[in-house]
Structures are given as C-alpha cells and as structure tokens.
C-alpha cells in the first residue's frame, strides 16, 4: 500500500513527537537512563524532520533533563546542540 507523501510525512512527524514525549515523561519520572536512550532516538528522528514544533518539544525534553548530571544526559545535550547547529530553528541545548 502506497501512502500519499503528505501522509507519510505526517506519520514520521507523529512518531518523532511521540518519541520526544516519551523521553520527557521518563525524565519527569526519574527514569534517567531509559529517558536518555529514548531522547537519543527522538533526536535522531528529529534530525530528519524540519519542524518548529518538534524543536519546541525538544526544548521541553531538555528542560525535563535539566536536573540530571549524568554522562548519558550530557550525551543527549551534546546531540541536541549538534542538531541545533545544523537546523535553522532554535533548540536550547
């Protein structure tokens, strides 16, 4: 089954938003290692989507990660900074 291009893009966008939301929720629950792993997946997926809303949600994810100072979380911040460097939208890494 071939989906229309708009439908395929929307599906990718929804998956990115879901991944970002999952990572932020895991940080909020204190599941730092799981959250960092989910955040890496979210940022990888976000790199393929040009969306101001996705960038905004990444900022929410980074806010949720703010209390944590682990190597895994620092890797998330680094990855977010790298994404911010190549995207025209603002990500507060």
């Amino acid at each position: 089954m071939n989906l229309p291009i708009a439908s395929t893009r929307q599906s990718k966008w929804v998956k990115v938003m879901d991944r970002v939301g999952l990572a932020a929720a895991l940080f909020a629950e204190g599941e730092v290692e799981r959250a960092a792993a989910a955040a890496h997946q979210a940022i990888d997926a976000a790199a393929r989507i040009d969306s101001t809303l996705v960038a905004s949600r990444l900022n929410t994810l980074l806010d949720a990660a703010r209390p944590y100072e682990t190597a895994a979380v620092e890797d998330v911040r680094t990855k977010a900074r790298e994404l911010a460097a190549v995207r025209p939208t603002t990500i507060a890494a």
Side-chain angles (χ1 to χ4, degrees):
M1 173 169 122
N2 291 330
L3 294 174
I5 291 173
S7 233
T8 302
R9 284 186 190 142
Q10 184 177 14
S11 174
K12 288 178 184 178
W13 183 85
V14 168
K15 286 179 184 178
V16 170
M17 294 297 281
D18 286 348
R19 288 179 179 153
V20 170
L22 172 63
L26 288 168
F27 276 124
E29 291 296 318
E31 296 283 343
V32 180
E33 295 302 316
R34 288 180 59 207
H40 277 287
Q41 291 178 349
I43 293 169
D44 287 343
R48 296 184 293 272
I49 303 290
D50 188 14
S51 166
T52 303
L53 185 55
V54 168
S56 174
R57 291 288 289 153
L58 285 174
N59 286 331
T60 300
L61 184 156
L62 291 170
D63 285 345
R66 194 173 311 271
Y68 305 104
E69 297 293 332
T70 68
V73 175
E74 188 53 39
D75 285 345
V76 168
R77 290 185 184 108
T78 298
K79 234 176 160 167
R81 279 191 294 271
E82 291 169 358
L83 180 57
V86 297
R87 285 284 183 226
T89 53
T90 302
I91 299 173

